[in-house]
Amino acid sequence: MLDQKLIRENPSFVEDNLSLRGKVYDIDFIHKLSLKRKEIDIEISSLQSKSKKLSKIIGQEIRNTNNANSQELNELKDKGNKYKIKVSEFEEKKRILDKQLQDEISKLPNFPSKDAPLGENENNNIQIKEWGDPLKKDNLKAHWEIGENLNLFDSVKSTKISKSRFITLTGNGARLERALVNFMLDVHSNNGYLELMPPALVNSESLQGSGQLPKFSKESFKCANDDLWLSPTAEVPLTAFHKNEIIDPKILPLKYVAYSPCFRREAGSYGRDTKGLIRLHQFNKVELYWFCHPNKSLEAHKEITEDAESILKKLNLPYRSVDICTGDLGFSSSRTFDLEVWLPSSKCYREISSCSNCLDFQARRSSIRTKIDKKTSFIHTLNGSGLAIGRTMAAILENGQQPDGSVKIPDALVPYFGSSFIKTA
RNA sequence: GGAGAGGUGGCUGAGUGGUCGAAAGCGAACGACUCGAAAUCGUUUAAUAGGAAACUAUUCGUGGGUUCGAAUCCCACCCUCUCCGCCA
C-alpha cells in the first residue's frame, strides 16, 4: 500500500515512480478523491469540536440547576441536534470516499527500487551471478521421464483424484520430497531462523495484507462457505503473523522459516509446463521471511538471498541469480533477485526462488510497525523461497541422472534421504 | 452443532450516561543516588488523521441505533474462552 498522504501531496512523484513499471498509472482520480476527503475531514472535525463543547455546557448546566428540562436547555439541545444532523451528512460522504480511496490505492503496486534495472519485461532482467557447472550433454532425460522410469510420481492417476496440474508422489519420490523439506528447514533453522508451520487456509484480510488481493483474486482458490482461501505462498500467513502489531525494535530483525503447501490456480498459463513438477496447482515450499528495521532492509535483502542460495550450493545444483527489471517486478516488491536452477534437459535456467524486498509496502497494508526514536514507523518485510521443493526435486533428478538410469542424490541430502542413489526397483 | 462467559493502551486489569483517551500495576525510556550495576526514588510513556506547531478530531472487537452527550444503554455481526456433543 502506498501512502495516501504522499499521493495527495506529490502525485507526480508517485506517477513517475509507478511508471517505472512500464505501465501508465492514473493517479489523478485518487489525488482528487484524497483532496476532497481531506476537505470533508476538516469540516467534520470543526463541527464535532463545536458540538462537543456544547455537550459539555449542557452537562454542566444540568448539574448546576438540577433541572434537565428548562427552556434554555431545550434550546441548547436543539442546537446540538442540528450539529448532529450536519455531521452525519458529511460522514456519509466521507465513508463513500474512504471506501473508494481504499479500493483504488490498494490496487497500486509498490514503487520499484532505483537500483532495479529498468525494463519492460523478463527479457530485460539482468544476470548478476552464475554458480556451478551447468551440465550440457545431449540426450539427457527430462525429469518427468526420469520420474516415470523410477516410479517417483504419478500425474495420470492424480487427475482421478483432482484434475490436471496435481501430482501424487510415490515411493522414493515422496521420500525425496520429505527429505528436501527437512533438509531445508534444518539448514535455515540452524542459521538463525525460527521455524513456523502456519495454517494453509488464510482469510481475505491476510491476502490483502501481503498484496495478493484485491488484484489477484483469480490466482487463488477460494473456499465456498467461508472467508478462507488456500494460501498461494507462506508469505501470506507469515506477513499476517504480526498483523496490527508494534514490534519492539530490539527484537528486530525477526527471521522466520516456514514449510507450507502452496496453492495456485495458474490462470492464464494453459499449455505451459504441463508435464512434471514445474507448474502445479499444489506444491510445497520452504519460505524465508524477515521483519526488519526500515534502515536495514537493503543488507537484509542480500542476506536472505544468500541464505536461499546456500541451499542450492549445498545441493550442488548449478544456478544463476537474476536482478528482476522494473517491468517484471511482482506487485508488492520494490526489488527482486530470482534464483534460477539449471535444468539440463531443456538447457535453460528455471526460477526456483524469488527473493524480494517489499520495503514498507506489506507492513503498511498489514499495519506492522516499530518504534524509532519514539515515533511509530512501518517496518520492512522481505521474503524469499528457500526453496520451492518440487522444482528442486526436478533439478536433482535432471542434474543427478546417470547413464544407467539411476539418479545420484547430492551428498548433503543423503543423511535425509537415506541412500546415495535412486535406482530402478 | 447446543449452553454460558467475555473482548478496554506494548501487556495485565479497573471503569455501567457528562471534565474518561480511560485508574492501578507490569514493561519501557530518561534523570537522581552509585566507581559501576541491582534495588530505590522522581519524571515520562497509546494509535490514527489533519497541522510547521499550538492544537483539533477519531478510536475501548466491527458496524449500526438511542441521546445534546456512549467504553458504559439497545440491535446485528465477528472473534476468544469454558462446559456438553462430534472428531484426528
Side-chain angles (χ1 to χ4, degrees):
Chain A
M1 183 90 83
L2 301 179
D3 186 5
Q4 184 180 152
K5 193 173 177 181
L6 184 64
I7 298 174
R8 188 171 59 233
E9 292 177 353
N10 208 339
S12 55
F13 174 85
V14 171
E15 222 159 52
D16 291 348
N17 271 283
L18 284 177
S19 69
L20 294 174
R21 286 179 177 264
K23 277 203 223 161
V24 178
Y25 290 89
D26 187 8
I27 303 302
D28 194 51
F29 180 58
I30 300 176
H31 180 236
K32 284 189 179 129
L33 284 181
S34 187
L35 286 176
K36 202 165 173 193
R37 201 211 94 109
K38 186 179 161 186
E39 222 172 85
I40 287 176
D41 208 34
I42 291 169
E43 192 64 41
I44 289 176
S45 173
S46 97
L47 278 171
Q48 278 171 331
S49 176
K50 286 178 196 160
S51 141
K52 220 172 149 177
K53 277 175 193 140
L54 182 64
S55 292
K56 272 188 185 153
I57 293 169
I58 293 173
Q60 259 166 9
E61 208 48 34
I62 291 172
R63 245 171 300 134
N64 291 343
T65 61
N66 261 330
N67 179 1
N69 281 312
S70 69
Q71 198 196 338
E72 198 184 331
L73 268 177
N74 285 334
E75 277 169 19
L76 287 177
K77 285 183 187 177
D78 277 349
K79 205 174 164 191
N81 244 327
K82 277 174 191 146
Y83 282 135
K84 191 164 68 168
I85 291 163
K86 262 191 184 169
V87 167
S88 72
E89 278 169 11
F90 278 113
E91 275 190 329
E92 178 61 23
K93 283 184 194 165
K94 186 177 149 189
R95 211 171 308 143
I96 292 165
L97 280 173
D98 269 337
K99 172 98 177 47
Q100 271 183 307
L101 274 164
Q102 178 68 24
D103 287 354
E104 292 301 322
I105 293 176
S106 61
K107 282 185 212 155
L108 296 175
N110 201 356
F111 293 149
S113 160
K114 296 271 176 274
D115 300 324
L118 274 172
E120 282 176 25
N121 57 44
E122 57 182 10
N123 299 322
N124 305 115
N125 295 342
I126 291 176
Q127 176 177 319
I128 49 180
K129 181 185 198 175
E130 214 171 0
W131 186 91
D133 246 345
L135 180 61
K136 284 180 180 165
K137 274 196 263 177
D138 286 330
N139 301 322
L140 289 174
K141 289 192 177 78
H143 71 272
W144 55 85
E145 296 174 85
I146 301 168
E148 196 176 311
N149 293 341
L150 297 176
N151 293 316
L152 301 181
F153 43 82
D154 192 317
S155 49
V156 176
K157 280 185 165 51
S158 301
T159 61
K160 294 198 286 186
I161 308 174
S162 311
K163 58 186 264 186
S164 65
R165 286 202 196 285
F166 282 91
I167 203 119
T168 307
L169 297 165
T170 57
N172 279 327
R175 188 182 185 80
L176 181 55
E177 182 95 355
R178 182 156 56 89
L180 281 167
V181 171
N182 284 335
F183 167 69
M184 292 183 197
L185 286 173
D186 278 355
V187 169
H188 294 305
S189 52
N190 289 333
N191 186 30
Y193 285 82
L194 180 66
E195 183 177 340
L196 299 185
M197 201 172 282
L201 298 194
V202 297
N203 60 36
S204 298
E205 201 182 272
S206 296
L207 281 167
Q208 161 78 26
S210 46
Q212 280 76 12
L213 284 179
K215 268 199 102 173
F216 305 100
S217 60
K218 284 181 219 77
E219 259 310 308
S220 290
F221 293 100
K222 180 156 187 356
C223 298
N225 297 321
D226 300 279
D227 177 32
L228 288 170
W229 306 65
L230 280 70
S231 173
T233 161
E235 180 190 341
V236 178
L238 287 173
T239 310
F241 193 58
H242 287 293
K243 182 159 65 187
N244 297 328
E245 286 185 19
I246 297 175
I247 301 173
D248 184 345
K250 276 183 290 191
I251 62 168
L252 293 176
L254 291 167
K255 297 157 70 171
Y256 295 113
V257 57
Y259 154 74
S260 84
C262 303
F263 303 90
R264 298 184 183 178
R265 293 193 62 238
E266 297 295 346
S269 63
Y270 302 109
R272 261 199 290 160
D273 306 314
T274 49
K275 284 181 178 170
L277 305 171
I278 298 298
R279 192 177 298 276
L280 295 167
H281 287 310
Q282 176 182 346
F283 63 97
N284 293 310
K285 181 156 61 70
V286 168
E287 181 81 359
L288 305 175
Y289 201 95
W290 287 45
F291 296 87
C292 92
H293 190 285
N295 294 342
K296 296 189 176 148
S297 63
L298 291 185
E299 297 101 277
H301 192 201
K302 282 183 195 134
E303 245 186 89
I304 198 173
T305 309
E306 281 163 15
D307 291 340
E309 283 179 68
S310 76
I311 299 292
L312 287 159
K313 287 179 178 167
K314 283 181 203 292
L315 294 176
N316 204 26
L317 294 169
Y319 71 93
R320 65 172 186 171
S321 56
V322 173
D323 199 347
I324 301 299
C325 77
T326 52
D328 196 29
L329 277 174
F331 183 77
S332 300
S333 178
S334 78
R335 188 148 192 228
T336 298
F337 301 125
D338 271 7
L339 303 178
E340 299 181 345
V341 72
W342 179 253
L343 288 183
S345 74
S346 45
K347 295 193 174 69
C348 72
Y349 286 103
R350 283 309 291 259
E351 178 188 336
I352 198 167
S353 172
S354 194
C355 302
S356 299
N357 185 357
C358 298
L359 303 178
D360 66 358
F361 189 80
Q362 291 177 324
R364 198 182 293 276
R365 291 170 93 93
S366 302
S367 186
I368 307 171
R369 294 159 296 170
T370 189
K371 290 269 188 186
I372 300 170
D373 299 330
K374 294 185 178 172
K375 277 189 70 184
T376 46
S377 318
F378 291 105
I379 55 131
H380 284 188
T381 61
L382 302 100
N383 65 80
S385 344
L387 307 161
I389 306 295
R391 290 188 178 186
T392 307
M393 190 190 300
I396 287 174
L397 296 181
E398 293 201 4
N399 284 284
Q401 61 182 298
Q402 305 295 311
D404 67 356
S406 68
V407 170
K408 186 182 182 310
I409 298 297
D411 293 341
L413 202 59
V414 172
Y416 290 87
F417 183 65
S419 162
S420 308
F421 284 91
I422 306 177
K423 294 179 178 163
T424 37

